[in-house]
Amino acid sequence: MIINSKSFLSLAEKIIAGGAPDIKEYRAIASVPDKDVFYLLAGADVLRNASFGRRIHFCTICNGKSGICTEDCAFCSQSKVSKSEVPVYPLLQKEKLQKGALYAADTPINKYSIVTSGRGLSKSELANVASAISELDQKALDYCVSLGILDPDGFRVLKKAGVTRYHHNLETSKSHFRNICTTHTYEERVKTLRAAKKAGLSVCAGGIFGIGETYKQVLELALTLKELDVDAIPINFLTPIKGTPLEKANNLTPLRCLKIIALFRYVLPEKEIIICGGRENNLRHLHPMVFYAGASGIMTGNYLTAKGRSLQDDIEMLEELKLRIRQ
Ligand code: SF4
């Protein structure tokens, strides 16, 4: 494949017309050198525009339970092997779980998610989250949760309470996962996603990049998510945290981040691609370019254990880009 804007625009047009790139074309995208990354953006922008127009999705999260994790995910400041200082608290009381939703309901944010640390929740914790969601105004916002590994009964409880989407990242490709986590398997994560889908929930699953994966493995993850037919893909970029096994990792550059986003847009042209943790730290001056690389959404506000940008800053950024918030 020739590496220029025209060839990637043609590829995007082929995808919009219903054609699927072949594996050689996907590999060509994944191996574009940094200096040519901007060629990818023309087609990625056209693809985002074909599915979402100029409207960008905003979501925000509440860290409902922090620290105390039994798992050993190498990038995570809340893991049992992390020595970093993070807030540690059990599941928040109902009013605190609901507080962020009440705030978000008066803003252009359209999805609110409760995220908890750990492998999964106990039955009583799950019931408390479900009860908190069931009392919220179901018309004001969409409610998502990210509660770890869960069984079909758990999903039924959540659906009944008004949860519409389950978030559960695969984190990385299957071939890289054992280098990142040894306390649970990739298959357990996939099983959770399949169970969420089967229960009728929309599924949000993506990963974190900059954790030692190769471009082949970035593509591998994108193709797995395509096969699983997930609805939304959160993309996180590692901000190395002191005290974690990956505290010295730094193989991301702003252009590499844009390339990862663009690759996901070519592989999953009609799916929501949401840029989450590490957006500002890793993309730096280029972070507004995420939309031209194919992102159709961003997480606004604070992340789990790190500060994010204010909603107002993100609204102003969209105005300057002549994009609009999807409501
Ligand atoms: S990513 Fe989730 S499961 Fe893994 S260590 Fe962090 S909180 Fe625990």
Side-chain angles (χ1 to χ4, degrees):
M1 187 175 179
I2 302 162
I3 308 289
N4 61 28
S5 298
K6 210 172 150 200
S7 59
F8 289 114
L9 256 180
S10 306
L11 183 60
E13 279 158 10
K14 173 173 129 180
I15 295 169
I16 290 167
D22 59 31
I23 192 68
K24 279 192 194 147
E25 287 168 316
Y26 285 141
R27 283 190 191 132
I29 298 169
S31 51
V32 162
D34 281 9
K35 70 177 179 43
D36 294 333
V37 163
F38 281 101
Y39 293 142
L40 285 177
L41 304 198
D45 185 46
V46 163
L47 288 170
R48 191 213 71 248
N49 207 50
S51 292
F52 301 95
R54 305 195 67 76
R55 294 187 184 272
I56 301 299
H57 159 84
F58 272 27
C59 60
T60 193
I61 57 168
C62 153
N63 188 2
K65 177 182 176 184
S66 187
I68 343 166
C69 188
T70 56
E71 307 304 291
D72 68 352
C73 306
F75 55 84
C76 180
S77 60
Q78 304 185 73
S79 84
K80 69 171 186 179
V81 293
S82 165
K83 293 185 182 64
S84 57
E85 280 180 25
V86 290
V88 176
Y89 51 82
L91 187 67
L92 294 176
Q93 295 292 314
K94 192 154 61 175
E95 294 69 26
K96 286 196 175 159
L97 291 175
Q98 294 170 332
K99 196 173 160 200
L102 300 176
Y103 158 76
D106 282 332
T107 71
I109 293 169
N110 49 36
K111 279 199 195 302
Y112 174 72
S113 183
I114 295 172
V115 183
T116 57
S117 66
R119 182 185 171 87
L121 292 188
S122 68
K123 269 202 163 147
S124 65
E125 287 173 320
L126 186 76
N128 287 347
V129 173
S131 164
I133 301 259
S134 68
E135 290 174 10
L136 292 167
D137 179 354
Q138 303 293 320
K139 290 199 190 103
L141 285 172
D142 275 344
Y143 301 106
C144 318
V145 289
S146 180
L147 312 176
I149 293 168
L150 211 62
D151 62 18
D153 282 345
F155 286 120
R156 275 191 282 278
V157 170
L158 292 172
K159 181 133 192 344
K160 204 167 158 214
V163 170
T164 55
R165 176 173 280 180
Y166 198 72
H167 166 262
H168 193 57
N169 281 339
L170 291 182
E171 309 299 10
T172 188
S173 66
K174 187 174 180 184
S175 63
H176 190 44
F177 190 77
R178 294 305 285 172
N179 304 323
I180 293 302
C181 176
T182 64
T183 46
H184 58 268
T185 64
Y186 206 69
E187 287 68 27
E188 284 175 278
R189 287 188 172 259
V190 169
K191 199 171 155 198
T192 298
L193 290 178
R194 290 198 202 277
K197 266 185 98 74
K198 204 166 172 202
L201 292 171
S202 147
V203 166
C204 179
I208 178 161
F209 301 92
I211 58 173
E213 73 286 349
T214 62
Y215 276 122
K216 240 174 130 183
Q217 288 166 328
V218 176
L219 176 58
E220 185 189 336
L221 173 60
L223 293 172
T224 301
L225 294 169
K226 187 179 180 71
E227 197 249 308
L228 289 169
D229 193 28
V230 302
D231 301 284
I233 301 104
I235 290 185
N236 297 277
F237 298 112
L238 180 75
T239 300
I241 302 168
K242 199 164 179 283
T244 63
L246 292 181
E247 65 180 1
K248 295 208 165 69
N250 76 348
N251 68 349
L252 289 174
T253 64
L255 288 174
R256 282 180 207 162
C257 295
L258 291 178
K259 180 164 94 167
I260 290 166
I261 300 167
L263 175 62
F264 272 77
R265 176 51 71 209
Y266 282 94
V267 176
L268 295 135
E270 292 169 359
K271 304 294 185 176
E272 191 87 82
I273 294 178
I274 307 167
I275 312 307
C276 301
R279 168 164 58 110
E280 311 88 311
N281 287 345
N282 285 286
L283 284 131
R284 301 189 282 277
H285 296 303
L286 298 191
H287 89 93
M289 297 297 293
V290 297
F291 306 108
Y292 299 105
S296 55
I298 51 172
M299 181 188 286
T300 186
N302 290 336
Y303 306 113
L304 287 177
T305 58
K307 255 196 132 23
R309 271 162 63 92
S310 76
L311 173 62
Q312 192 51 37
D313 284 346
D314 283 331
I315 289 173
E316 284 170 19
M317 173 178 66
L318 283 200
E319 281 169 4
E320 284 166 10
L321 293 166
K322 296 282 176 237
L323 293 167
R324 277 181 283 163
I325 302 177
R326 196 180 327 140
Q327 287 185 296

